Amino acid sequence: FVTHDIREAVFLANRIVVLGSNPGSIRIILQNDMPHPRDMRSPAFLAMIDRIHDIITNAIIPDEIAAATSTAVQRHIEPLPYVSPGEILGLLEILDDQNGSIDMFELAQKIGKDFGSTISVAKAAELLDFVDTPKHSVIFTDIGKKFLASDMNERKILFKRQLLSLRLYDVISGMLQKSTKLNLDEEIILEQLAIVFPNEDVEKLFDTMVGWARYGELFGYNADDKVLYLDTGQETAG
């Protein structure tokens, strides 16, 4: 099973092979002896994620970039799963039908996705604090219940608030606010994403990030000019 998602690898695998590139090679083989079902919030689980992250970061990010990018930013800016707001909403609706709790494997059957894709949808909802994922279950949080019970405008307001709790959106919003015209070229954002997330498909990550931001009306994107702009009620000229 091949994945770029460290959390997914730690959740599923008993043996994790970390690959390097240029030239292709095996950097390290790790034995993962945590018992199943695995708790994604347990100290052992989080420690294994940190260990793999450090191995990948030290191998790929040049020293000068690592020095320029603070440890706090590297560790706490988490990539977004490649999931749409609609898929997150679909998960919450299924949870509502299941009285607020469902087994991860049953969820995969209900949404018609493979297990890895199902984990991505659950992780996306968890990042926004709409669900919790103890062991192999997915359960509603109070914020998730409130979001689902709200009308469209209230959902957007709540979604925006949850986005700003994520370090990635906090950083990008700060960059936009500091820019002269409250906008930035797509290329600038892609370069920053490539530095912080060397193993991610940055174009897919960018598209996902923009999709979530547009849903929450946090910032917008002009596809013709390839410009990201703060959503202040009207589009800023590129």
Side-chain angles (χ1 to χ4, degrees):
F1 186 86
V2 179
T3 181
H4 291 120
D5 188 329
I6 297 175
R7 183 185 297 255
E8 184 174 54
V10 176
F11 187 81
L12 293 174
N14 294 327
R15 182 171 174 268
I16 300 170
V17 181
V18 181
L19 300 178
S21 58
N22 299 321
S25 60
I26 294 177
R27 293 206 175 272
I28 193 170
I29 299 176
L30 302 172
Q31 197 66 28
N32 184 6
D33 295 324
M34 280 181 282
H36 292 279
R38 290 173 178 164
D39 183 353
M40 291 185 177
R41 292 190 171 184
S42 71
F45 192 96
L46 297 175
M48 179 64 83
I49 288 177
D50 281 346
R51 182 182 179 190
I52 296 173
H53 182 277
D54 286 344
I55 291 167
I56 293 171
T57 299
N58 292 335
I60 295 178
I61 299 182
D63 291 341
E64 60 272 18
I65 293 177
T69 307
S70 72
T71 302
V73 170
Q74 286 183 29
R75 283 187 176 273
H76 297 299
I77 298 185
E78 192 168 1
L80 306 177
Y82 307 142
V83 170
S84 70
E87 289 175 295
I88 296 172
L89 179 59
L91 165 60
L92 298 183
E93 290 174 341
I94 289 173
L95 269 181
D96 191 45
D97 290 340
Q98 298 295 312
N99 297 317
S101 178
I102 190 171
D103 178 87
M104 190 77 76
F105 297 96
E106 184 181 353
L107 176 62
Q109 293 179 341
K110 285 189 175 294
I111 65 178
K113 292 182 178 292
D114 59 64
F115 189 67
S117 298
T118 302
I119 289 177
S120 293
V121 178
K123 180 183 176 184
E126 186 175 32
L127 278 176
L128 295 166
D129 203 23
F130 291 157
V131 305
D132 210 348
T133 56
K135 296 185 178 179
H136 58 286
S137 298
V138 183
I139 62 174
F140 252 136
T141 62
D142 290 340
I143 294 175
K145 293 176 183 177
K146 181 178 179 180
F147 176 81
L148 191 62
S150 299
D151 62 29
M152 182 57 69
N153 288 333
E154 291 172 332
R155 283 181 180 179
K156 288 181 178 293
I157 292 170
L158 183 55
F159 200 89
K160 179 178 181 178
R161 189 182 77 189
Q162 296 308 109
L163 289 183
L164 287 172
S165 70
L166 302 179
R167 180 69 174 145
L168 175 60
Y169 284 98
D170 183 40
V171 169
I172 298 299
S173 295
M175 291 172 63
L176 287 168
Q177 289 167 3
K178 291 177 182 177
S179 63
T180 305
K181 296 182 179 180
L182 301 181
N183 64 30
L184 290 169
D185 290 342
E186 174 185 325
E187 192 62 33
I188 293 174
I189 304 297
L190 289 174
E191 288 175 0
Q192 294 301 312
L193 292 176
I195 290 172
V196 179
F197 305 116
N199 295 308
E200 293 292 324
D201 182 332
V202 293
E203 292 188 354
K204 286 182 70 173
L205 179 57
F206 178 86
D207 289 342
T208 302
M209 181 186 74
V210 169
W212 289 23
R214 293 176 79 171
Y215 181 87
E217 298 180 351
L218 178 58
F219 49 75
Y221 176 65
N222 185 320
D224 293 330
D225 296 333
K226 295 186 180 299
V227 169
L228 205 67
Y229 61 90
L230 277 182
D231 200 338
T232 58
Q234 61 181 19
E235 184 175 327
T236 305

